[in-house]
């Protein structure tokens, strides 16, 4: 049986959601973040990088969200959650599947990093670290994030879902950047189509079932 090595409050929540959408049987092996929010060393026994998400299935160990989604949809989807080949929607699907981690998450991770740095710096260095962090956020990170969010808003103005009129794995993949942006990037300010997208995915029964099985999930909060 397919096994999801599930780290709490992580991208592996998307994998549970995908499996629920497809109705694929699976089991969960749970891992808890350490106080510093890093994954526990137990995950190193599953994959050399010790990161989540990771799945094991039929002798295969697969990491990276995009690769996992491609594997599950290709193996168990039977044509579901993926547009037909050689269509504009399929090209969009492939793009968003890779964009989500390749481009969208970079400014969001930098936003988290520069927000946390002053809080975790030694007391004597905190004013300096806060100044440097604020400069980086103002000059580099926030403008990039604003550009990405405007891009999402424009694309969701073309169709209800990222790859077209039908819900696909690309929307599952893009859920994490949008949820992270809602948590710490100001997505609610001036991006009504993005907010509506989040409302639509949160209303899906499979999303709710995945939350129930995966446990508390608060991206970036």
């Amino acid at each position: 049986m397919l096994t999801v090595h599930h780290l709490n409050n992580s991208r592996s929540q998307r994998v549970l959601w995908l499996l629920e959408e497809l109705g694929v049987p699976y089991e969960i092996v749970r891992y808890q973040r350490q106080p510093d929010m890093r994954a526990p060393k137990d995950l190193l026994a599953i994959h050399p990088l010790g990161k989540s998400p990771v799945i094991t299935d039929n002798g295969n160990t697969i990491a990276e969200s995009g690769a996992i989604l491609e594997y599950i949809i290709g193996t168990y989807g039977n044509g579901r959650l993926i547009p037909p080949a050689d269509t504009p929607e399929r090209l969009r699907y492939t793009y968003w599947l890779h964009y989500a981690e390749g481009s969208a998450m970079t400014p969001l991770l930098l936003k988290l990093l520069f927000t946390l740095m002053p809080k975790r710096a030694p007391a004597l260095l905190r004013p300096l670290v806060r100044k440097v962090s604020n400069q980086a956020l103002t000059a580099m990170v926030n403008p990039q994030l604003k550009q990405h969010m405007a891009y999402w808003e424009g694309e969701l103005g073309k169709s209800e879902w990222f790859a077209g009129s039908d819900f696909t794995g690309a929307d599952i993949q893009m859920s994490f950047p949008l949820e992270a942006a809602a948590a710490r990037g100001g997505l609610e300010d001036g991006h009504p189509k993005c907010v509506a997208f989040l409302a639509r995915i949160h209303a899906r029964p499979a999303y709710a079932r995945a939350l129930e099985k995966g446990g508390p999930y608060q991206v970036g909060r």
Side-chain angles (χ1 to χ4, degrees):
M1 180 180 289
L2 189 151
T3 299
V4 180
H5 296 272
H6 176 60
L7 179 67
N8 67 305
N9 261 351
S10 78
R11 292 162 169 83
S12 62
Q13 187 65 39
R14 286 184 298 199
V15 179
L16 302 183
W17 176 20
L18 172 62
L19 292 167
E20 290 293 331
E21 289 281 357
L22 293 174
V24 177
Y26 64 95
E27 63 180 6
I28 301 175
V29 177
R30 300 180 187 277
Y31 302 83
Q32 199 71 19
R33 289 187 182 274
Q34 300 177 101
D36 61 5
M37 296 305 293
R38 289 187 296 179
K41 293 183 178 179
D42 294 357
L43 271 169
L44 286 167
I46 309 302
H47 188 276
L49 294 181
K51 303 291 185 181
S52 181
V54 180
I55 66 168
T56 51
D57 186 45
N58 292 323
N60 300 308
T61 299
I62 306 163
E64 293 295 336
S65 301
I68 291 170
L69 264 68
E70 286 195 77
Y71 172 82
I72 292 173
I73 290 173
T75 305
Y76 298 104
N78 295 317
R80 294 172 293 168
L81 300 186
I82 184 170
D86 300 320
T87 63
E89 289 79 12
R90 181 64 164 267
L91 186 58
R92 289 180 67 185
Y93 166 88
T94 302
Y95 170 77
W96 291 112
L97 203 66
H98 293 278
Y99 163 89
E101 293 293 335
S103 295
M105 284 306 299
T106 301
L108 287 161
L109 288 171
L110 288 172
K111 176 89 171 181
L112 179 62
L113 174 65
F114 285 118
T115 301
L116 289 177
M117 279 174 58
K119 300 176 184 178
R120 298 186 177 183
L124 288 176
L125 295 177
R126 201 165 294 154
L128 176 61
V129 174
R130 182 178 294 111
K131 181 178 180 180
V132 172
S133 296
N134 287 341
Q135 287 177 342
L137 287 168
T138 300
M140 179 180 66
V141 178
N142 289 339
Q144 285 188 24
L145 185 52
K146 184 177 179 180
Q147 183 179 25
H148 280 277
M149 292 190 295
Y151 177 44
W152 307 338
E153 185 74 9
E155 292 299 305
L156 288 172
K158 299 175 183 178
S159 58
E160 184 177 19
W161 301 106
F162 275 101
S165 58
D166 295 326
F167 175 80
T168 70
D171 300 297
I172 294 176
Q173 184 76 332
M174 281 298 297
S175 67
F176 197 89
L178 267 73
E179 287 179 326
R184 58 177 178 263
L187 186 72
E188 295 91 343
D189 184 14
H191 306 96
K193 291 181 173 60
C194 292
V195 173
F197 169 87
L198 289 178
R200 288 195 299 275
I201 66 172
H202 294 163
R204 295 182 71 86
Y207 185 95
R209 291 195 302 271
L211 277 183
E212 184 178 348
K213 293 183 179 180
Y217 177 61
Q218 294 179 309
V219 179
R221 295 187 187 276

